[in-house]
Amino acid sequence: MRLCKALLTAVLLASTALVGVAPTAQAGDHERVRVLTWNIFHGGREPTPDNLNDLIDQVIDIEPDVFFAVETYGSGDLITDALTRRAHNGRYTGVRITDRPAGQDNLWIFTKYEVVASYPKPQGGPVSDFNLGGVRVRVPHDGELNLFATWLTYTDPWDGYLIDENAIDRRDGREPRHSVAAVVQAGRAQTQYITDIVQNQLPRMLGGNTAPVLLGGDFNTLPGADWTPSQADCPNHFGLSYPLTATKVVTEAGFVDTFRAANPDVCAVPGRTWSPLPTEKLITDQRIDFLFAKGNVETRAARIVDQRMRRHGPGVFYSDHAAVVSDLKVRW
């Protein structure tokens, strides 16, 4: 009788394999996921339209499994096609998050994983689909990931410039021209937007889904954890610190800043993403582009890409933002 049961089990398992039914995720199953987060600056067409070809070469060389793109602006289909044909990483799907005509389609998500759901647009707060949108994807072992691209509004005055001006003053022996309160106030809009995203929009969109969440994009503000009093003696901080609030909202909601998790020494690895262009002559390291993760996600490595590929020869970088590449292990 035990032999018959064993044979029956074997037949059933073989039948399941033949019809292509995916196995259910088991405890301990995991997937290594490479995520690229990059504001590509006016669709990658600056300073000339030819720049887009070089920028796409860089994206292909990275071979991301997920790519959160900001300022995609009419380049989404070209990027999707190029990744599928040339990245040797399988077929990619490009999802236009910002539902506006080409040239106004800010946010896109590109992924090699199967997209199983698109989340509804934000509603009821300051955030629109120009700022946030997401999809759920299926990855090997029948696991799932929730992917959300984001862009927080820019404001003038901007806290990054105020911080840099204060650093210049301190370097030159003057009293900083901007108060701490003024710097914090300059980040109020970013804090308002991310609070709406984390406390209202994401819970409503997810509707109780408990799969890991990745939130990536251009936050237009510096990380509060990099500017506390314990980092005041970092190079080019000049003894200054600020209680910045926007990214603190995210980490207090249980998200991990993947770049800082992989590079915990702020002084040694500041992670400047604003800006690789020589026109932005800042003396402080401005990290304003992020990938945050929530759930059973382990950060294996993270790096900044801010140099042209050697085969492209000399010239300025492809965007006014550096790219952030994070290598993760996601478990189910």
Side-chain angles (χ1 to χ4, degrees):
M1 190 68 175
R2 285 195 296 269
L3 178 61
C4 292
K5 286 184 178 179
L7 289 171
L8 179 59
T9 300
V11 170
L12 289 172
L13 288 173
S15 300
T16 299
L18 287 172
V19 298
V21 176
T24 302
Q26 302 294 319
D29 283 342
H30 69 272
E31 173 76 356
R32 295 181 182 273
V33 181
R34 171 164 290 179
V35 183
L36 168 63
T37 304
W38 199 2
N39 180 323
I40 64 173
F41 188 36
H42 294 172
R45 293 181 169 87
E46 297 285 350
T48 68
D50 291 341
N51 182 70
L52 178 59
N53 294 325
D54 290 349
L55 184 146
I56 289 176
D57 284 347
Q58 178 66 85
V59 174
I60 289 166
D61 185 72
I62 292 170
E63 291 188 337
D65 302 313
V66 175
F67 173 19
F68 294 114
V70 181
E71 290 196 31
T72 315
Y73 296 155
S75 299
D77 291 333
L78 290 172
I79 294 171
T80 304
D81 179 65
L83 280 167
T84 297
R85 288 188 297 104
R86 298 172 50 202
H88 308 296
N89 200 26
R91 179 182 178 276
Y92 281 78
T93 299
V95 181
R96 187 206 306 248
I97 296 300
T98 304
D99 186 18
R100 303 187 188 186
Q104 303 174 43
D105 50 334
N106 184 25
L107 300 176
W108 278 65
I109 298 174
F110 306 91
T111 180
K112 75 169 189 178
Y113 301 124
E114 177 190 1
V115 177
V116 297
S118 293
Y119 286 110
K121 295 181 182 181
Q123 56 184 263
V127 172
S128 73
D129 65 354
F130 200 81
N131 310 107
L132 176 72
V135 298
R136 189 167 72 251
V137 298
R138 181 174 293 118
V139 300
H141 307 298
D142 208 30
E144 291 186 334
L145 270 174
N146 291 300
L147 310 176
F148 291 92
T150 191
W151 176 81
L152 303 185
T153 189
Y154 173 79
T155 53
D156 186 11
W158 182 53
D159 59 0
Y161 288 152
L162 301 190
I163 287 171
D164 201 68
E165 289 168 355
N166 279 355
I168 291 171
D169 289 340
R170 181 62 66 84
R171 179 197 64 185
D172 295 343
R174 299 187 298 265
E175 281 298 310
R177 71 193 78 174
H178 306 293
S179 68
V180 170
V183 172
V184 174
Q185 178 72 1
R188 66 192 183 283
Q190 291 83 3
T191 299
Q192 179 189 20
Y193 275 60
I194 198 61
T195 299
D196 184 38
I197 287 170
V198 169
Q199 296 185 2
N200 302 318
Q201 305 299 341
L202 289 183
R204 183 184 63 82
M205 291 175 171
L206 289 168
N209 185 279
T210 58
V213 177
L214 303 181
L215 175 69
D218 172 8
F219 280 58
N220 270 317
T221 189
L222 281 65
D226 288 10
W227 284 88
T228 68
S230 62
Q231 283 88 42
D233 291 330
C234 287
N236 297 336
H237 284 210
F238 296 97
L240 300 171
S241 63
Y242 305 92
L244 305 176
T245 56
T247 58
K248 186 178 179 183
V249 171
V250 189
T251 55
E252 286 184 344
F255 286 84
V256 171
D257 177 350
T258 61
F259 181 84
R260 191 50 68 213
N263 304 281
D265 190 334
V266 176
C267 297
V269 191
R272 177 196 294 255
T273 65
W274 180 260
S275 166
L277 298 187
T279 51
E280 287 289 334
K281 298 178 180 179
L282 305 177
I283 70 168
T284 52
D285 294 302
Q286 311 258 326
R287 186 165 68 94
I288 66 173
D289 301 88
F290 301 88
L291 175 70
F292 289 98
K294 186 176 183 178
N296 203 349
V297 180
E298 176 187 349
T299 305
R300 306 303 300 271
R303 59 190 170 96
I304 301 299
V305 177
D306 61 1
Q307 300 292 319
R308 290 171 61 86
M309 299 177 72
R310 182 174 300 177
R311 65 188 174 94
H312 289 157
V316 299
F317 190 59
Y318 316 114
S319 171
D320 59 347
H321 288 246
V324 183
V325 181
S326 300
D327 290 316
L328 313 174
K329 179 188 280 189
V330 183
R331 294 184 181 275
W332 292 273

